[in-house]
Amino acid sequence: MKADAQTLLSQLSQFTGTERYYRLGPRHLLTDGAMFLAQNAECFWMFDAIASHLSEIGTNDWFVLVRMEVSDRRAVMYYEDGNGHEHARQAIPYTDFPLPSVSIYAVFDSEHWVLMLPSEY
């Protein structure tokens, strides 16, 4: 069952590192917090979209900030370098994502993209 926004925000704030990595694909890993978000907000689709864009962006930048802004059941995902430069943007025509926004950090460890909550960085 999908968590409501207030409960989800409270629970997400408790992640400050990771003890385990979860494979999303051959070159993409989720941290404990990212997996918790994927499961409790039922948003594996968001992480799949992130992985797809990271493959296109490449590894010239080892860090990518992914921001998703939600309004009126639609969303826009922004893929940035963390310094205001936008790599890509994706419109999501419909979502039931429970939060008005979320940020995910993607860090390339020379073998994998590790997707994490900002508090886990």
Side-chain angles (χ1 to χ4, degrees), residues 40-96:
N40 289 275
E42 298 177 2
C43 65
F44 280 99
W45 61 267
M46 179 184 73
F47 288 101
D48 286 341
I50 292 170
S52 173
H53 275 56
L54 290 173
S55 295
E56 289 181 20
I57 291 170
T59 58
N60 287 339
D61 284 331
W62 62 271
F63 176 87
V64 175
L65 165 63
V66 182
R67 292 184 304 110
M68 185 169 74
E69 304 290 333
V70 180
S71 177
D72 297 324
R73 299 234 177 244
R74 288 182 285 232
V76 178
M77 296 177 69
Y78 302 92
Y79 302 81
E80 305 171 346
D81 67 359
N83 293 316
H85 177 259
E86 189 175 299
H87 292 294
R89 180 183 298 203
Q90 179 180 9
I92 308 296
Y94 173 81
T95 183
D96 61 355

Side-chain angles (χ1 to χ4, degrees), residues 13-57:
S13 68
Q14 298 177 30
F15 290 95
T16 57
T18 197
E19 294 180 7
R20 186 168 174 208
Y21 295 100
Y22 304 85
R23 187 164 300 282
L24 181 65
R27 294 191 54 177
H28 302 90
L29 304 173
L30 301 178
T31 59
D32 291 332
M35 178 58 92
F36 180 88
L37 176 63
Q39 291 174 330
N40 289 275
E42 298 177 2
C43 65
F44 280 99
W45 61 267
M46 179 184 73
F47 288 101
D48 286 341
I50 292 170
S52 173
H53 275 56
L54 290 173
S55 295
E56 289 181 20
I57 291 170

Side-chain angles (χ1 to χ4, degrees), residues 101-119:
S101 66
V102 68
S103 292
I104 300 295
Y105 288 177
V107 179
F108 191 68
D109 70 1
S110 78
E111 188 175 343
H112 302 98
W113 280 103
V114 180
L115 309 179
M116 65 188 74
L117 303 176
S119 60

